[in-house]
Amino acid sequence: MEQFSSGQRCYNSITPDSQNDFGSYNCTASNAMGSESKEFLLIQAEVPSSPEIQQVDPFSSTAVVSFEEPDSMGGVPIIRYRVEWRLIGQDWKSMEHDAKDDLISITIAGLKPETTYEVKMSAINGKGEGESSAASSFTTEPVPPLSSILTPRPLIPFHRIQDERYSLHNPA
């Protein structure tokens, strides 16, 4: 254990050298006004276990990956999630997302329609990156036909368009 001070503050630093260094520590501060004690628990941090991919909802150029947080956080909070995807047999592409309390899905963009991909995820805490989840395969959807995107409007016959100043007639 190392003690050092800066101005009116005093700091203790514990760098564990063995398993015996982990456990409960009691810190007592005293001055002319009295004393105050606080107990601290020093635990060994581990990398988190892998998140579990629950479902992949593919679209033509994106996929929404829904997941559950890891069973084990490793003793420290998760700070980021890494999602990796690839065309089968090619190199992995990856993207990291900051962990938030309500983060339960991540969207992958820039995918090709009607293409099969693999996706996997890992969690990152202050100790490092945990193991990746098992890879899940999905196939993106085809691009929707233009007719399903555009709503057809009824055509107005050319000879029926009239205006106060102009009158258009179909010569036929």
Side-chain angles (χ1 to χ4, degrees):
M1 183 162 83
E2 182 182 353
Q3 286 186 333
F4 55 96
S5 56
S6 172
Q8 294 181 350
R9 295 184 183 258
C10 185
Y11 298 92
N12 290 324
S13 174
I14 300 172
T15 304
D17 293 325
S18 73
Q19 284 296 114
N20 295 333
D21 293 335
F22 297 103
S24 179
Y25 286 83
N26 187 27
C27 181
T28 303
S30 300
N31 64 16
M33 302 292 289
S35 66
E36 180 80 27
S37 291
K38 181 84 173 175
E39 187 173 329
F40 295 93
L41 185 61
L42 181 62
I43 60 171
Q44 185 171 5
E46 300 290 335
V47 295
S49 60
S50 63
E52 184 179 335
I53 295 175
Q54 295 292 305
Q55 182 175 330
V56 180
D57 293 315
F59 300 94
S60 60
S61 63
T62 62
V64 178
V65 181
S66 301
F67 64 95
E68 283 190 11
E69 65 183 22
D71 290 333
S72 170
M73 305 294 182
V76 290
I78 291 179
I79 52 177
R80 287 187 307 280
Y81 286 101
R82 179 189 311 270
V83 62
E84 298 178 86
W85 67 96
R86 70 177 179 180
L87 292 167
I88 294 176
Q90 295 193 6
D91 292 337
W92 292 98
K93 295 179 182 181
S94 69
M95 185 171 40
E96 289 185 11
H97 293 270
D98 289 338
K100 299 175 189 160
D101 289 339
D102 58 347
L103 184 66
I104 57 169
S105 66
I106 293 174
T107 300
I108 303 169
L111 305 177
K112 297 177 183 175
E114 299 181 83
T115 305
T116 301
Y117 290 90
E118 289 181 307
V119 62
K120 62 183 181 176
M121 288 187 66
S122 59
I124 302 166
N125 66 11
K127 176 77 175 183
E129 183 172 358
E131 291 288 319
S132 294
S133 65
S136 296
S137 295
F138 66 94
T139 303
T140 51
E141 298 291 324
V143 175
L146 193 56
S147 61
S148 69
I149 298 172
L150 300 176
T151 305
R153 293 181 157 182
L155 295 176
I156 300 171
F158 186 72
H159 69 278
R160 296 185 62 202
I161 299 174
Q162 292 186 345
D163 183 278
E164 292 177 3
R165 293 170 288 161
Y166 305 100
S167 180
L168 301 174
H169 298 283
N170 187 349

